[in-house]
Amino acid sequence: MRLAHWAVNAPFRPLLLAVLTSSFILPAQAADLVTIARDALQNDATLAAARAQLLAAEAGTDVERGALLPQVNTDASVSNTRIYSRQLFNFGGNSIGASSFGTDNNYSSTRLNLDASQALFDATSSARLNRARRQLDQQTLSLEVTRQQLLFDVSEAYFEILRAYDILEARRAQEAAIGRQFEQARERFNVGLIAITEVHEAEASFDLARAQRIAAESAMQVNFEALEQLTGRRYASIEGLAGELLIDVPKARERGAWVALAMDNSPQVLLADAGVEVAHSEVELSRAERLPLLEAFANYQYFESDQDQLIGNDSNSQLGLRASMPLYTGGTTSAQIRQSTYSLEASQYDFEAQRRDTTQQVRSLYTQVVNDVTTVAARRQAIVSNRSALEATRSGYEVGTRNIVDVLNAEQSLYNAIANYAEARYDYVVNLLSLRQQAGLLDVEAIEEVNAWLTGEDIHFILPESNEPDAYQRAMDIGAPPTPGA
């Protein structure tokens, strides 16, 4: 059974379906949550940016590691020198110009210089490498935070569409039912059985139901757009949630167990802890600026020239140790140490704040999920009770003990109960996913578990018209709630 229909007479439905199929090429199978989550993981721009930042952090460790490896530099030159000179000799007050003698004025030379060094003790470069490694760990956790947030956002957007559709179905059924009451009221007025005020009451209720249906259609379209923004793709239809969904409390049945899971696995908590480690490495780097640098070096120089017609070369080499140490830097190093120490203190407070926030979020979400289990059952029972009340009110209206206002109020109460039941079901699903995210357990496997709750029935983005008889019948067919598992 499809979850989307069009309000046309049965003989014309095949023709309309053929037209729609030719105009909109719909996929043979609706997209499910796993498919859409994978699309988001591949196409989301924020996640792609986080991946690029991780690659940049990996390259940063290679940059800092290079300072501790051998350094080899060379420079060379080949030149031709031509000297122009003019000298004046004074003989008895007369200046006579003459060129210099005994010097080669045109010669070539070649020079080569080769330097090599290896750090033996370089606390600053070692501290920079350690900082780069801590930043890489931090960026890895940041990527995981982004990934889990994306999985939750996609799941939430998916189930918000289903929530909007179920509410839309209830509002369509409500509009259809109240529309029938409105038609009956007009017929009764025309034969003189009721006053015009009852017709106006029915019309006002019908207009309200129509406005609620239009608002529900708008919400569904907006939710489809939100899903497209996360995945970069437009979906013609998605799979719906099973009607007989088994609602049960989370597997770990104590709040303390979920808090312990969050402290060990939450990427937000681990990211804040990684921030503390990065701040520690900044303090170590500031202190390393005061330590000496010791390195081994080797140098080779070669020089060749044909000046004065002497062909030959000179070369020399050096091998030794070189040390340097800052003695006074104008107070800069001390200021840097103080600055990084305060930054470390701030990061420790940030970690504690994140730990407390995660603890509170996990406790609240666990309590909410447990409450959702009983709320879903209560909301479903409310449908049964309101349906019975509506039937009794209709019977009273037929025999004259109730008026049409009572009937309309009973109709609205029933469909509000149906909408509230849909709200409760999706609150349970979304809160359970949020709990898993806060605990750091929202991965593709968790998405696959939730995906098993889907039925394969399609919800189309092409919105059907109002006053749909099938929607009314489905709303009236909701049965008793399932028994939660042990």
Side-chain angles (χ1 to χ4, degrees):
M1 179 184 68
R2 312 291 285 186
L3 289 183
H5 303 272
W6 290 267
V8 295
N9 294 329
F12 296 97
R13 286 198 179 186
L15 176 60
L16 180 56
L17 287 173
V19 172
L20 288 175
T21 304
S22 62
S23 302
F24 305 91
I25 308 229
L26 297 178
Q29 184 176 2
D32 61 5
L33 180 59
V34 169
T35 300
I36 294 176
R38 287 172 178 165
D39 289 344
L41 291 174
Q42 293 176 0
N43 301 318
D44 183 69
T46 302
L47 185 63
R51 291 194 189 103
Q53 290 170 352
L54 176 61
L55 294 176
E58 289 179 349
T61 60
D62 295 334
V63 170
E64 301 299 347
R65 186 182 295 108
L68 296 172
L69 298 178
Q71 310 291 309
V72 180
N73 299 290
T74 184
D75 64 273
S77 66
V78 177
S79 63
N80 179 264
T81 303
R82 180 169 293 181
I83 300 175
Y84 298 92
S85 64
R86 183 173 180 272
Q87 298 180 356
L88 297 177
F89 297 94
N90 190 351
F91 292 95
N94 296 320
S95 297
I96 301 174
S99 300
S100 59
F101 298 95
T103 300
D104 189 352
N105 294 331
N106 187 4
Y107 62 91
S108 299
S109 61
T110 301
R111 183 184 63 82
L112 173 67
N113 184 56
L114 183 65
D115 287 298
S117 63
Q118 169 63 59
L120 301 179
F121 179 79
D122 187 349
T124 300
S125 295
S126 297
R128 286 190 178 127
L129 176 58
N130 182 62
R131 181 185 62 180
R133 287 170 174 167
R134 300 290 79 77
Q135 289 173 337
L136 176 59
D137 294 340
Q138 185 183 40
Q139 197 58 52
T140 301
L141 290 167
S142 179
L143 175 62
E144 181 61 18
V145 169
T146 304
R147 190 183 70 88
Q148 290 202 24
Q149 184 63 50
L150 176 61
L151 289 175
F152 175 76
D153 290 344
V154 168
S155 301
E156 183 180 36
Y158 187 98
F159 288 111
E160 286 302 320
I161 293 173
L162 300 186
R163 181 201 301 267
Y165 185 82
D166 282 0
I167 293 174
L168 177 58
E169 288 285 274
R171 296 312 177 192
R172 286 195 185 113
Q174 174 181 283
E175 184 181 6
I178 295 179
R180 284 193 291 272
Q181 293 291 339
F182 180 34
E183 290 297 327
Q184 291 174 7
R186 286 197 297 189
E187 292 172 0
R188 287 179 173 234
F189 171 74
N190 290 335
V191 297
L193 296 178
I194 61 174
I196 189 62
T197 54
E198 294 196 19
V199 178
H200 292 330
E201 290 283 357
E203 184 178 13
S205 295
F206 177 73
D207 290 339
L208 176 59
R210 184 170 179 269
Q212 290 176 328
R213 186 262 304 167
I214 293 172
E217 287 181 349
S218 176
M220 184 174 172
Q221 293 185 51
V222 169
N223 287 324
F224 260 104
E225 295 294 335
L227 188 62
E228 180 185 357
Q229 186 248 338
L230 291 170
T231 62
R233 295 187 57 185
R234 179 177 289 273
Y235 302 93
S237 60
I238 64 174
E239 292 188 5
L241 189 65
E244 296 299 325
L245 178 64
L246 183 63
I247 306 295
D248 198 3
V249 297
K251 292 181 180 179
R253 294 177 178 267
E254 294 181 358
R255 291 197 311 174
W258 279 97
V259 170
L261 284 171
M263 294 302 102
D264 293 337
N265 299 287
S266 171
Q268 291 94 339
V269 173
L270 297 177
L271 179 61
D273 191 28
V276 175
E277 294 299 321
V278 171
H280 267 299
S281 65
E282 292 284 358
V283 175
E284 293 172 357
L285 175 58
S286 299
R287 290 173 176 168
E289 297 289 346
R290 287 178 168 175
L291 300 178
L293 168 66
L294 176 64
E295 62 180 1
F297 72 93
N299 175 266
Y300 174 76
Q301 294 180 339
Y302 174 86
F303 181 79
E304 179 181 303
S305 173
D306 61 357
Q307 187 177 13
D308 296 329
Q309 309 302 319
L310 296 176
I311 300 175
N313 61 77
D314 294 320
S315 64
N316 63 77
S317 61
Q318 288 181 311
L319 182 66
L321 298 176
R322 185 164 50 216
S324 62
M325 181 175 179
L327 297 179
Y328 180 68
T329 59
T332 300
T333 302
S334 298
Q336 288 175 338
I337 292 175
R338 292 196 307 273
Q339 181 186 41
S340 57
T341 301
Y342 288 131
S343 296
L344 171 60
E345 184 178 356
S347 67
Q348 289 171 334
Y349 284 122
D350 289 339
F351 167 69
E352 179 61 20
Q354 182 61 59
R355 191 187 67 81
R356 293 179 184 180
D357 180 69
T358 300
T359 299
Q360 186 270 334
Q361 290 288 339
V362 169
R363 288 173 176 171
S364 297
L365 285 168
Y366 178 84
T367 301
Q368 187 62 54
V369 171
V370 172
N371 291 339
D372 288 339
V373 174
T374 56
T375 300
V376 170
R379 293 294 188 189
R380 187 157 189 152
Q381 185 58 42
I383 296 175
V384 177
S385 301
N386 278 278
R387 185 183 299 117
S388 299
L390 175 59
E391 293 172 355
T393 303
R394 283 175 177 170
S395 298
Y397 180 63
E398 293 296 332
V399 299
T401 59
R402 293 294 185 95
N403 58 33
I404 195 169
V405 175
D406 296 329
V407 176
L408 294 173
N409 288 338
E411 293 274 11
Q412 291 176 343
S413 295
L414 172 60
Y415 292 107
N416 286 339
I418 293 173
N420 290 336
Y421 172 64
E423 293 274 11
R425 291 208 322 152
Y426 292 108
D427 283 344
Y428 168 78
V429 175
V430 172
N431 287 334
L432 183 60
L433 288 169
S434 183
L435 175 61
R436 298 200 66 159
Q437 180 201 11
Q438 289 293 329
L441 305 176
L442 187 59
D443 52 15
V444 176
E445 181 179 350
I447 297 299
E448 290 174 347
E449 291 178 9
V450 176
N451 195 70
W453 299 347
L454 305 179
T455 62
E457 297 177 336
D458 302 352
I459 292 178
H460 288 304
F461 180 64
I462 305 171
L463 294 173
E465 299 293 336
S466 62
N467 298 329
E468 185 182 357
D470 289 336
Y472 172 77
Q473 188 59 45
R474 280 196 298 277
M476 298 302 294
D477 288 342
I478 295 178
T483 302

